[in-house]
Amino acid sequence: MFTPKLKEALDHVQKPGRYTGGEPGCVIKDKSKVDVRMAFCFPDTYEVGMSFLGEKILYDILNQHENWWCERVFMPWTDMKAEMERLHMPLYALESKDPVREFDIVGFTLQYELSYTNILAMLELSGIPFYSKDRDENDPLVIAGGPCVCNGEPVAPFFDVMQLGEGENMLQSICAEVEKAKKEHLPRKELLLRLAKIPGVYIPAFYDVSYLPDGRIEKIRPNEPGIPAVVTKDILKDMNSYEPPRRFVVPMVGAVQDRASVEVLRGCVRGCRFCQAGFLYRPMRERSPELLDSAAHDLCRNTGYDEISLSSLSTSDHSGLEEILDRMNTWAEGEHVSLSLPSLRVDNFSESLIEKTNRVRKSGLTFAPEAGTQRLRDVINKNVTWEEIERTCTIAFRSGYTSVKLYFMMGLPTETMEDIEGIAETAQRVVNLYYSLPDKPKGKSVQVTISVACFVPKPDTPFQFCPQDTKEMLEAKQKHLLESVHSKKIKVNYHASDTSYLEAVFAKGDRRLAPVILDAYRHGCYFDGWEEHFKYAEWLECFDRAGLDPQFYSRRVIGLDEVTPWSHLDYGVSHDYLVREYQKAMQGVTTRPCNRACSGCGANHLLGGPCFEYDQNLVH
């Protein structure tokens, strides 16, 4: 399987383990007995991609079909890319080492906007035409899934198929249609027409976009008979209908998150107005404690991991979290497996959670107030008060913690410099709280780390209508934050504003950006999410050559009744609800979490009934 060219390339790269495959848990099949082959492509490095739980879930599901084979492909790092180009070696899948171009389906996950040029790099390395219109019967079907599909229009011309929503059922339906089409020798166009009938499947080529003279979108309409005017996402109605994976591929080269992980719930009840994932994955659905305990135990035994993460957007909102932890601790402590909760809320943090997750080893504590003042927390619907932050930090310090990480954003709608000062003041109050406690850890100082991200307005959120702060505005706020911190016990980390600017452009962009992305790739732009490779000036030149102003997408206020690039893509939350939430935000009015009161977002229609049994008083 290791050709002379591959062996030569591996001799000249920094981390050959990224490209060898053969890890424990990988699936190898006899390709002569396989009817459908899919290359699951993650457009970033092996270490990043092997941390992605979604790939592990779909890899497991597809490979349970005896006659289907799903293999993994990652973006080669710069040294390996150069070697592959020098040796004229095509991009290959790790399991079989077969060229990606030979697969039936080449699927990309769109997890973040700055991976778009990497997709083009992987297509070029595979010898697959960039644009879907240029592919013929000999080319694989190029598909996309993931959160960025909610507005995948900037890259839509590159894809034959895009999947809205969750892939467990949808991807299996696509593979089944591809299998039938191969046996029937169906033309590519006829296959696409069949795929368009699958719930959640969007075929970009079957839609035409027209524009107004000022650059806004006039209409988006189907150009084939029988194609729906609006595509609605597909969801997994019952999370217990699919077991979490009980085995993973264990990476050869340490992944960014190198641990076992089990998805305890999907969706979120909180309704934070900046959070795209919280709206895209509505409604919230839980897995049962019994299933989670059984799957987690098997996963740890099958992989050898000694840490398991209970993964979700808001794990501490699971109605049976205490039972889950109690069940897992019956075996985890004896087998020296630690439990970690990656998404804790300050308003339901407790001594019990600390005790049940720290029996093997103590994990770090990270909380996300998101904004430094109560006024701004109300604007963004972050239902957290200083009293709750104080209570949470008091519990942590009394339990022996001496460091806390706090996540914030800057550039939020209605934000002022007083709100920026509030970030520093919140951190200082946490420091002061530590030293005021008589039962704090003896002889140890405190460390408060504040990490501040630049706000990016995202589609399908109440803030999609809002402009993004300019680069200069964000840099002024970053400078003011540093000047507002007066203690060495507070450490400040913040993100570069250049990348956030480009992220906003693509998040709210349209199909006219596709040639810009391709031009940028041809001028050396890829790995844009990596600061050392990001070429901001080159990107600006690409926009200039295309005659497009990026601030049209990032800085322009979107009208409440405007047709957006994503107006034909329905993720379950109604447009009217987003408008109502935007208006409440501008008034500083909050909305209660979904499991306490229904606010009528519309996502319940995806389930065919209420999201929660409110008479059972799920949250006390």
Side-chain angles (χ1 to χ4, degrees):
M1 286 166 50
F2 284 82
T3 64
K5 284 186 177 181
L6 177 54
K7 289 179 180 179
E8 182 179 348
L10 295 180
D11 281 341
H12 293 88
V13 299
Q14 187 179 20
K15 294 183 179 180
R18 289 168 165 165
Y19 314 106
T20 57
E23 310 98 320
C26 69
V27 176
I28 304 296
K29 296 189 178 186
D30 181 349
K31 63 183 178 182
S32 67
K33 299 178 181 179
V34 170
D35 295 313
V36 176
R37 298 184 69 186
M38 175 174 169
F40 196 118
C41 300
F42 193 93
D44 211 318
T45 64
Y46 177 93
E47 293 94 324
V48 177
M50 285 298 290
S51 303
F52 176 45
L53 182 58
E55 181 187 57
K56 301 174 195 293
I57 292 169
L58 296 174
Y59 183 88
D60 181 65
I61 289 173
L62 293 185
N63 282 321
Q64 289 179 28
H65 292 260
E66 187 176 349
N67 63 325
W68 299 352
W69 189 8
C70 179
E71 303 182 48
R72 296 162 299 132
V73 185
F74 301 97
M75 174 67 189
W77 189 244
T78 55
D79 53 357
M80 184 62 169
K81 181 176 182 291
E83 285 299 303
M84 294 174 77
E85 291 169 340
R86 180 179 69 85
L87 295 167
H88 304 288
M89 187 172 71
L91 187 66
Y92 60 88
L94 289 183
E95 280 76 3
S96 64
K97 306 300 184 296
D98 288 341
V100 167
R101 198 179 192 284
E102 296 178 4
F103 284 66
D104 301 300
I105 303 171
V106 176
F108 289 89
T109 180
L110 309 187
Q111 292 296 308
Y112 40 90
E113 291 85 356
L114 295 187
S115 68
Y116 290 167
T117 49
N118 280 10
I119 293 170
L120 298 184
M122 295 174 79
L123 289 174
E124 184 173 54
L125 286 169
S126 303
I128 299 172
F130 293 124
Y131 286 102
S132 62
K133 63 181 176 61
D134 296 328
R135 299 181 193 126
D136 59 27
E137 306 298 330
N138 297 314
D139 291 306
L141 196 70
V142 181
I143 71 175
C148 290
V149 171
C150 76
N151 179 32
E153 292 301 283
V155 289
F158 305 133
F159 289 99
D160 303 307
V161 177
M162 303 187 96
Q163 300 177 87
L164 274 68
E166 299 161 8
E168 284 92 344
N169 292 321
M170 194 172 9
L171 189 53
Q172 290 184 89
S173 297
I174 291 172
C175 289
E177 288 294 344
V178 168
E179 181 180 351
K180 285 194 291 184
K182 287 179 67 178
K183 292 175 180 177
E184 297 173 17
H185 303 288
L186 203 67
R188 191 181 188 91
K189 173 77 175 289
E190 292 302 312
L191 170 60
L192 292 175
L193 286 168
R194 284 189 183 182
L195 293 176
K197 297 177 181 178
I198 298 171
V201 168
Y202 167 49
I203 312 295
F206 291 168
Y207 293 80
D208 291 331
V209 183
S210 58
Y211 299 89
L212 295 167
D214 63 4
R216 292 178 298 142
I217 290 178
E218 179 185 33
K219 289 180 182 176
I220 305 172
R221 50 193 163 191
N223 56 31
E224 290 285 341
I227 299 300
V230 175
V231 180
T232 301
K233 78 170 181 180
D234 192 41
I235 68 164
L236 196 60
K237 293 182 179 180
D238 179 7
M239 289 295 289
N240 289 328
S241 64
Y242 280 101
E243 291 189 342
R246 293 176 183 261
R247 61 181 68 248
F248 281 175
V249 181
V250 180
M252 295 279 211
V253 179
V256 174
Q257 296 178 6
D258 197 7
R259 63 179 75 93
S261 183
V262 61
E263 185 185 24
V264 301
L265 62 86
R266 193 169 292 176
C268 183
V269 298
R270 294 292 173 165
C272 299
R273 291 169 180 142
F274 58 84
C275 180
Q276 186 182 53
F279 288 92
L280 292 185
Y281 294 102
R282 288 190 178 202
M284 189 180 96
R285 294 141 287 151
E286 299 178 343
R287 279 198 170 103
S288 70
E290 298 88 351
L291 178 57
L292 291 167
D293 174 53
S294 171
H297 198 182
D298 284 351
L299 183 59
C300 289
R301 284 186 294 197
N302 289 332
T303 60
Y305 279 117
D306 62 359
E307 179 183 359
I308 185 158
S309 171
L310 306 185
S311 176
S312 79
L313 291 175
S314 187
T315 299
S316 53
D317 281 325
H318 193 294
S319 60
L321 180 59
E322 296 279 356
E323 181 185 349
I324 295 168
L325 295 173
D326 287 338
R327 285 175 175 270
M328 289 187 179
N329 273 320
T330 62
W331 54 266
E333 189 173 3
E335 297 177 22
H336 306 289
V337 174
S338 65
L339 310 179
S340 67
L341 304 177
S343 50
L344 290 170
R345 293 277 309 188
V346 299
D347 57 349
N348 54 17
F349 184 73
S350 66
E351 293 179 18
S352 174
L353 288 183
I354 286 185
E355 189 275 327
K356 290 176 180 178
T357 56
N358 284 355
R359 292 185 182 180
V360 174
R361 67 180 66 88
K362 184 180 289 189
S363 57
L365 283 182
T366 301
F367 302 104
E370 305 293 1
T373 63
Q374 192 60 51
R375 183 202 70 80
L376 193 53
R377 285 195 289 271
D378 289 346
V379 168
I380 66 176
N381 204 44
K382 189 77 178 181
N383 286 294
V384 169
T385 64
W386 163 250
E387 289 71 26
E388 288 167 331
I389 298 171
E390 182 180 45
R391 182 189 65 84
T392 294
C393 291
T394 298
I395 292 171
F397 294 148
R398 284 176 173 166
S399 300
Y401 284 89
T402 59
S403 64
V404 173
K405 291 182 180 178
L406 301 175
Y407 281 148
F408 295 90
M409 283 188 291
M410 64 171 51
L412 289 162
T414 79
E415 184 179 72
T416 66
M417 285 302 186
E418 286 74 23
D419 297 308
I420 297 298
E421 292 163 14
I423 296 174
E425 290 168 4
T426 300
Q428 186 61 55
R429 291 174 79 176
V430 173
V431 170
N432 297 343
L433 171 67
Y434 177 85
Y435 287 107
S436 72
L437 297 174
D439 48 356
K440 64 180 178 293
K442 303 299 181 185
K444 295 182 179 179
S445 62
V446 70
Q447 180 69 56
V448 177
T449 302
I450 52 179
S451 293
V452 187
C454 298
F455 166 70
V456 176
K458 295 276 189 170
D460 293 298
T461 71
F463 289 160
Q464 68 180 20
F465 310 104
C466 301
Q468 185 189 40
D469 276 1
T470 64
K471 180 175 181 288
E472 292 74 21
M473 292 164 69
L474 289 168
E475 288 175 350
K477 290 179 178 180
Q478 290 168 345
K479 181 174 182 290
H480 190 64
L481 174 60
L482 293 174
E483 292 170 347
S484 300
V485 172
H486 305 295
S487 171
K488 292 183 179 179
K489 303 189 185 305
I490 300 173
K491 180 182 178 182
V492 179
N493 298 322
Y494 56 83
H495 295 249
S497 59
D498 291 351
T499 52
S500 298
Y501 175 55
L502 194 64
E503 185 181 343
V505 172
F506 292 142
K508 297 169 74 172
D510 53 46
R511 294 188 184 187
R512 291 172 296 184
L513 293 176
V516 178
I517 296 169
L518 180 55
D519 186 35
Y521 171 64
R522 285 173 168 158
H523 283 83
C525 294
Y526 58 97
F527 280 120
D528 296 300
W530 295 72
E531 189 175 341
E532 65 269 36
H533 292 288
F534 184 57
K535 299 179 175 68
Y536 182 64
E538 189 63 62
W539 273 104
L540 294 182
E541 290 180 14
C542 292
F543 284 109
D544 190 54
R545 281 194 291 270
L548 292 173
D549 180 5
Q551 293 201 27
F552 175 82
Y553 303 103
S554 67
R555 286 290 297 158
R556 187 175 61 84
V557 176
I558 291 179
L560 298 183
D561 59 350
E562 183 176 326
V563 178
T564 63
W566 56 93
S567 287
H568 59 309
L569 308 177
D570 176 18
Y571 274 75
V573 177
S574 72
H575 177 78
D576 288 345
Y577 179 76
L578 296 178
V579 171
R580 291 200 305 271
E581 282 295 293
Y582 166 75
Q583 292 170 336
K584 289 174 72 174
M586 296 303 105
Q587 298 163 11
V589 177
T590 61
T591 299
R592 297 182 71 192
C594 301
N595 53 353
R596 298 183 184 177
C598 179
S599 54
C601 75
N604 62 304
H605 296 300
L606 298 168
L607 294 177
C611 300
F612 297 95
E613 297 179 39
Y614 294 101
D615 58 338
Q616 293 187 8
N617 195 22
L618 294 177
V619 176
H620 302 282

